[in-house]
Amino acid sequence: MRQTNLDDFLNLEEQNKELEEKIKQVVKKNKQSEEILFQQSKMASMGELLGSITHQWRQPLMEINSLFMPIDAKLKMGQNVENKEILDSIEKLSEITKYMSTTINDFKNFFSTDKQKVTFNLSTQLNFAINILSSTLKKHNIKLEIIVKKNPEIYGYKNEYSQVLINLINNAKEILFLRNIKDPLIKITLNKESNNAILIIEDNAGGIKDSNPYAIFEPFYTKEKKDGFGIGLFMSKLIIEKHMNGYIEVVNDKNGAIFTIVTPLNTNL
């Protein structure tokens, strides 16, 4: 009888070990799946951002061309060119190239693989995201309204937080464009409540056309998506929940969708 109990115990211990090993394998596979989805999200973002940088550089390049066309015309016609005109053009050229250099740095920083947690405030990363998307918003005549009630600091991966903002703003832009909304608007509010930082993104595109608004956070959700894999919002939710210890909420109101990003205030933990 005692031997039987010992055998049962050993069998149970062996089964527990096998179960633990299976759990480890499942966890490993889940992490691998998340990494694959994260990389796919990065690639999708890269395509969108490369399109954005094309728009952002087109206007400065046209301005550079227009700066020297009058000077070139005068020289070809044998007319005198004032030193002031040349100096003014050079000064303007310096401003434009500085802007283009800043744009390149923004894109380089966005795709940085640096995973070190740092302290940052909401407005800094919001401005970073807006600088990247500004040209595509202007292209579609989308008005951007920013309300800063409070500007709290949080602690985490700032590039990933920027990716979330870019995904949400770009998603709102896409829906506004697809639905051909008159006077399209994206409103962003920064605030702080209790021990949390709050960032709210609203649009006037009419809301999420799904009985379950949270379905948009499912991987590969493509309803009303013009193109892409539909993983931007899924990855945004994953980043905020698992990497920032926060959460994202979404609701419809009479005008459109409201996304609320809630993250803990900076605790340096």
Side-chain angles (χ1 to χ4, degrees):
M1 185 72 176
R2 193 170 292 174
Q3 181 62 41
T4 301
N5 289 339
L6 179 59
D7 290 341
D8 290 342
F9 176 77
L10 292 175
N11 287 335
L12 182 61
E13 188 176 26
E14 185 65 28
Q15 289 175 6
N16 285 338
K17 287 181 180 179
E18 290 178 1
L19 182 59
E20 286 179 4
E21 186 60 33
K22 287 181 180 179
I23 292 173
K24 287 180 182 178
Q25 291 176 1
V26 170
V27 170
K28 184 178 179 180
K29 286 181 179 179
N30 286 340
K31 286 184 178 179
Q32 289 174 342
S33 296
E34 287 179 4
E35 283 298 319
I36 291 171
L37 286 171
F38 190 82
Q39 291 305 318
Q40 286 180 326
S41 178
K42 277 283 189 180
M43 292 302 294
S45 295
M46 183 181 292
E48 293 169 352
L49 296 180
L50 287 175
S52 180
I53 196 172
T54 300
H55 294 305
Q56 278 190 257
W57 272 31
R58 183 172 287 119
Q59 185 60 36
L61 288 171
M62 290 174 63
E63 290 181 18
I64 290 174
N65 187 51
S66 65
L67 278 176
F68 294 98
M69 282 181 63
I71 296 175
D72 180 61
K74 287 182 179 180
L75 291 174
K76 286 180 178 178
M77 294 175 65
Q79 298 178 2
N80 290 329
V81 179
E82 299 290 334
N83 285 342
K84 185 178 184 305
E85 185 176 359
I86 296 175
L87 291 174
D88 287 346
S89 296
I90 292 173
E91 183 179 353
K92 181 64 175 176
L93 175 64
S94 178
E95 293 174 2
I96 294 172
T97 53
K98 189 181 296 183
Y99 164 79
M100 295 174 77
S101 177
T102 299
T103 302
I104 284 292
N105 287 334
D106 284 346
F107 279 78
K108 182 182 72 174
N109 291 335
F110 176 77
F111 288 107
S112 170
T113 56
D114 183 10
K115 295 285 289 184
Q116 184 177 1
K117 286 188 174 183
V118 296
T119 299
F120 60 91
N121 57 45
L122 296 191
S123 66
T124 299
Q125 295 314 109
L126 176 60
N127 288 335
F128 176 83
I130 290 172
N131 283 341
I132 288 179
L133 295 175
S134 60
S135 63
T136 187
L137 294 175
K138 289 178 181 176
K139 176 187 176 184
H140 296 295
N141 298 313
I142 296 174
K143 180 182 178 183
L144 191 62
E145 181 181 340
I146 300 174
I147 301 171
V148 182
K149 294 182 178 179
K150 292 181 180 178
N151 186 24
E153 286 188 341
I154 58 179
Y155 183 70
Y157 303 112
K158 65 178 184 178
N159 284 346
E160 290 190 358
Y161 190 84
S162 296
Q163 183 179 354
V164 172
L165 299 183
I166 289 172
N167 282 336
L168 292 176
I169 296 170
N170 198 59
N171 186 71
K173 179 266 298 181
E174 187 173 323
I175 295 299
L176 288 164
F177 172 70
L178 289 176
R179 294 180 182 173
N180 196 25
I181 301 298
K182 183 180 179 182
D183 300 322
L185 170 68
I186 297 176
K187 183 168 76 171
I188 303 174
T189 304
L190 281 60
N191 202 357
K192 180 178 74 170
E193 294 179 4
S194 185
N195 294 319
N196 292 316
I198 311 293
L199 191 146
I200 301 171
I201 299 176
E202 307 173 55
D203 62 60
N204 63 340
I208 299 166
K209 307 301 183 183
D210 198 301
S211 57
N212 175 23
Y214 278 87
I216 63 173
F217 291 116
E218 295 174 0
F220 308 109
Y221 181 87
T222 56
K223 188 174 183 179
E224 289 197 90
K225 286 284 289 182
K226 181 182 177 183
D227 47 34
F229 295 103
I231 58 178
L233 293 178
F234 168 75
M235 287 309 306
S236 296
K237 187 173 184 290
L238 193 66
I239 287 170
I240 295 300
E241 289 182 351
K242 295 199 172 185
H243 296 187
M244 306 293 296
N245 298 318
Y247 59 92
I248 297 181
E249 292 181 337
V250 59
V251 296
N252 283 330
D253 77 348
K254 61 180 181 180
N255 296 316
I258 302 175
F259 290 85
T260 302
I261 305 172
V262 180
T263 46
L265 293 178
N266 174 31
T267 58
N268 267 333
L269 294 178

